[in-house]
Every structure is written in structure tokens, then in C-alpha cells.
């Protein structure tokens, strides 16, 4: 794995309940999730957002968690069992070259790409794969940490997104991040 990629020990920190003090999943993803939805958590790590999302989608919904590090997903599965939502969560280990989600074309209501695009070897390819999974009225939430990402990297992410036919519909306030809610242009 490249130097860019979040080590597994940081995965434990990111999944800590203390993080809720400044990143409250209810506030950050709650507005975009309803019961029965299909949510894709790209770069889920240990599920800080996936497990609350699984509670929000209810019994008829699904959260698909994709990560390139298997130990992240192993811990996520344990946490999902403990939270009683394991049956709503699918996990997929991917390669760093591809998310491996071509089977999800136009099936996803919300993609969460939280603190992960800057870790990708090829962010443009990653965004292309993500965009293809969106339903026509689906949404993509991108959130990137200001500590790791420059404003020119964000500009590049926005440029690539526009080229893929995505438009920004909201810029939610998420502490210490650049965050954008996107959808497909009509
Ligand atoms: C900083 S963590 C953020 C995790 C989570 N989204 C959160 O906010 O708690 C980034 C995660 O993305 C994963 N990741 C990095 N590059 C990836 C890629 N190309 N494909 C899939 N997962 C990737 C890492 O393994 C890591 O678990």
C-alpha cells in the first residue's frame, strides 16, 4: 500500500465515538438518507459512517462498504454485528486501482466518499467509478480533510467531477473539511 493510505491503527482512531463530538453522522449524512436506500461507503475504513448509515436505511436498505484494506473491513463487520445491523451491510475489499463497483451501475442513492479521495492513486478514475453507481437522482457526498488536502487539490476534484457530469448542489458545513454534495446534471 502506498504512503498515502490511512494505516489501520488510524482506522481505530477514526472509528472512535469521541469523533462524534465534531463529526456527528446524524448531522453529516442524516439529511441525505431515508429508509430503504442503497448507500455506498467508498473507503469506509471501520465504519464510522457506515454503521449509522445502516441504522438510517432500516431493514429494507443496504450499505455497501468498500475499502482496499481488509483489516478495516474485518473490524467494520465486528462493529456492525455488535450494533445489530450486520444484515444490512455488505463489505467488499477492492484494489487500490479500482473500487470494483461496475455491477452497481445506477443503483446507489447516496455515495459517501469521506476522507478518501485524496488517498486514491488515481482520483479521476475513482470519481468516474463512483459517478457510474449513482441513480439518476442519487447524491454524492465528498468530504476531504483540510489538514491533508490543498485548495488546488479540491479544485481539481471539482473540475473532474464537473467533467463527469456532476454538479454541486450543496456545500455542507463539516468541521475542518471541504465538503460538497453533488448530483448528476439533468
Ligand atoms: C482516512 S480513511 C477514512 C475512512 C472513513 N471514510 C471515515 O471517514 O472514517 C480512508 C479510507 O479509505 C481507504 N482507501 C484509500 N484509498 C482507497 C482506494 N483507492 N479504494 C478504496 N479504499 C481506499 C483506506 O484504506 C481507508 O480505510
Amino acid at each position: 500500500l502506498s504512503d498515502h493510505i490511512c494505516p489501520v491503527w488510524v482506522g481505530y482512531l477514526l472509528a472512535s465515538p469521541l469523533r462524534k463530538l465534531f463529526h456527528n453522522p446524524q448531522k453529516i449524512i442524516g439529511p441525505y438518507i431515508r429508509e430503504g436506500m442503497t448507500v455506498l461507503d467508498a473507503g469506509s475504513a471501520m465504519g464510522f459512517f457506515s454503521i449509522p448509515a445502516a441504522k438510517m436505511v432500516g431493514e429494507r436498505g443496504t450499505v455497501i462498504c468498500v475499502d482496499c484494506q481488509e483489516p478495516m473491513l474485518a473490524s467494520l463487520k465486528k462493529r456492525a454485528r455488535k450494533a445489530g445491523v450486520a444484515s444490512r451491510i455488505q463489505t467488499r475489499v477492492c484494489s487500490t486501482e479500482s473500487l470494483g463497483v461496475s455491477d452497481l451501475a445506477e443503483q446507489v442513492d447516496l455515495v459517501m466518499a469521506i476522507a478518501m479521495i485524496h488517498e486514491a492513486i488515481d482520483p479521476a478514475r475513482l470519481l468516474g467509478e463512483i459517478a457510474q453507481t449513482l441513480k439518476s437522482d442519487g447524491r454524492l457526498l465528498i468530504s476531504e480533510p483540510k489538514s491533508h488536502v490543498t485548495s488546488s487539490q479540491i479544485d481539481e476534484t471539482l473540475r473532474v467531477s464537473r467533467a463527469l457530469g456532476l454538479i454541486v448542489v450543496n456545500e455542507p458545513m463539516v468541521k475542518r473539511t471541504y465538503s460538497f454534495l453533488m448530483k448528476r446534471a439533468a
Side-chain angles (χ1 to χ4, degrees):
L1 293 173
S2 89
D3 292 349
H4 286 84
I5 292 183
C6 175
V8 171
W9 68 267
V10 175
Y12 286 101
L13 298 182
L14 288 172
S16 156
L18 284 178
R19 186 175 169 201
K20 287 190 186 146
L21 294 175
F22 57 100
H23 283 169
N24 180 342
Q26 201 65 43
K27 285 192 188 150
I28 296 172
I29 57 171
Y32 317 120
I33 301 183
R34 291 188 303 282
E35 280 198 27
M37 280 188 165
T38 300
V39 174
L40 172 62
D41 193 357
S44 60
M46 297 185 188
F48 179 78
F49 288 101
S50 346
I51 290 171
K55 292 181 182 165
M56 294 171 199
V57 297
E59 281 179 9
R60 292 180 303 111
T62 307
V63 181
I64 302 156
C65 303
V66 185
D67 203 286
C68 59
Q69 299 188 83
E70 195 280 332
M72 297 286 198
L73 295 175
S75 174
L76 189 159
K77 280 192 259 186
K78 269 194 210 154
R79 289 160 197 268
R81 276 196 293 274
K82 222 170 140 188
V85 293
S87 62
R88 303 170 198 176
I89 288 191
Q90 292 175 20
T91 57
R92 297 182 177 195
V93 185
C94 67
S95 75
T96 50
E97 279 76 38
S98 169
L99 270 187
V101 290
S102 54
D103 59 314
L104 298 178
E106 297 186 28
Q107 288 187 33
V108 175
D109 295 290
L110 175 70
V111 180
M112 310 189 285
I114 302 182
M116 71 86 64
I117 288 173
H118 67 281
E119 294 191 5
I121 293 170
D122 185 348
R125 179 183 167 140
L126 174 81
L127 283 163
E129 290 184 323
I130 285 174
Q132 284 183 344
T133 68
L134 288 176
K135 287 183 181 175
S136 55
D137 60 348
R139 297 286 187 272
L140 163 61
L141 178 65
I142 290 179
S143 186
E144 290 280 79
K146 287 188 172 167
S147 54
H148 290 60
V149 177
T150 62
S151 60
S152 59
Q153 277 174 295
I154 279 292
D155 288 345
E156 177 62 9
T157 298
L158 292 172
R159 190 194 63 75
V160 170
S161 303
R162 268 195 302 275
L164 289 164
L166 297 171
I167 54 170
V168 174
V169 288
N170 193 8
E171 295 188 30
M173 291 298 296
V174 180
K175 270 187 193 140
R176 303 176 200 166
T177 71
Y178 299 104
S179 296
F180 302 93
L181 185 73
M182 300 188 184
K183 68 168 191 171
R184 285 176 189 264

